[in-house]
Amino acid sequence: MDRSVSTEFEIDVGLSIALTEAGAWVIRADGREFRLEEINDFYRVWVLLERPFSEVKAALDQIARSASAVTPFPFAKLIGSALNAKSRQWTDLAMVWVSFLAAAEKATLKGLLSDVRDSKWASQKIRQLARKYVNEIERGDPKRLN
């Protein structure tokens, strides 16, 4: 793995997100690196959902700019990972962030949002919000999706 890191965003003591010189997003923990590529890799950074989206986005965008990264941080994968966990706590936090995604990113979450909408474990409020997002995605109304 490419261990050369251009800059980091500290999440907690000994835990940070970084962008390698090769342009890969990684989580660094206890002296080890784990790539953030597949949706299932993102459970390691769910704690980001406890912070305001604007704060996290600004920090990660700064890292991307500093490294001249081609790929911005994949927020949809982070949100999708939390939704996929079927945990009320993480789903509630992830649903707050969905509204900040671009229409195309929201569309990639349609299946997971449908699962939340149809679930018995999510709160009524969250199921209604998931229904709203799924309806907007299905209508393909870009003004309403953003």
Side-chain angles (χ1 to χ4, degrees), residues 28-62:
R28 299 188 74 210
D30 300 325
R32 297 183 298 166
E33 280 186 3
F34 304 93
R35 286 192 178 240
L36 295 172
E37 295 176 327
E38 303 299 321
I39 194 170
N40 293 330
D41 298 335
F42 285 80
Y43 72 91
R44 292 181 171 102
V45 293
W46 286 350
V47 69
L48 289 174
L49 297 168
E50 295 175 336
R51 296 182 179 195
F53 179 83
S54 59
E55 171 190 313
V56 174
K57 182 167 179 19
L60 295 176
D61 283 353
Q62 179 58 42

Side-chain angles (χ1 to χ4, degrees), residues 8-9 21 29 40 53 64 76 85 90-91 94-95 100-101 106 109-110 116 121 129 133 139 144:
E8 297 181 35
F9 174 51
E21 288 180 7
N40 293 330
F53 179 83
W90 294 113
T91 296
M95 288 298 285
F100 296 102
L101 296 178
K106 283 181 189 172
L109 298 174
K110 181 183 175 192
V116 171
W121 51 266
L129 187 55
Y133 288 134
R139 281 195 301 271
R144 296 192 59 137

Side-chain angles (χ1 to χ4, degrees), residues 50-135:
E50 295 175 336
R51 296 182 179 195
F53 179 83
S54 59
E55 171 190 313
V56 174
K57 182 167 179 19
L60 295 176
D61 283 353
Q62 179 58 42
I63 289 171
R65 277 191 303 277
S66 295
S68 300
V70 175
T71 308
F73 186 80
F75 288 103
K77 287 183 179 181
L78 168 58
I79 293 167
S81 176
L83 296 176
N84 195 39
K86 296 177 175 60
S87 158
R88 191 170 181 169
Q89 172 191 355
W90 294 113
T91 296
D92 287 358
L93 292 170
M95 288 298 285
V96 171
W97 280 31
V98 172
S99 66
F100 296 102
L101 296 178
E105 293 173 306
K106 283 181 189 172
T108 67
L109 298 174
K110 181 183 175 192
L112 292 169
L113 290 167
S114 295
D115 291 346
V116 171
R117 176 197 62 197
D118 300 337
S119 73
K120 299 219 184 292
W121 51 266
S123 69
Q124 180 178 358
K125 176 183 172 185
I126 293 300
R127 289 192 317 265
Q128 289 172 341
L129 187 55
R131 181 177 299 110
K132 173 187 167 224
Y133 288 134
V134 169
N135 288 342

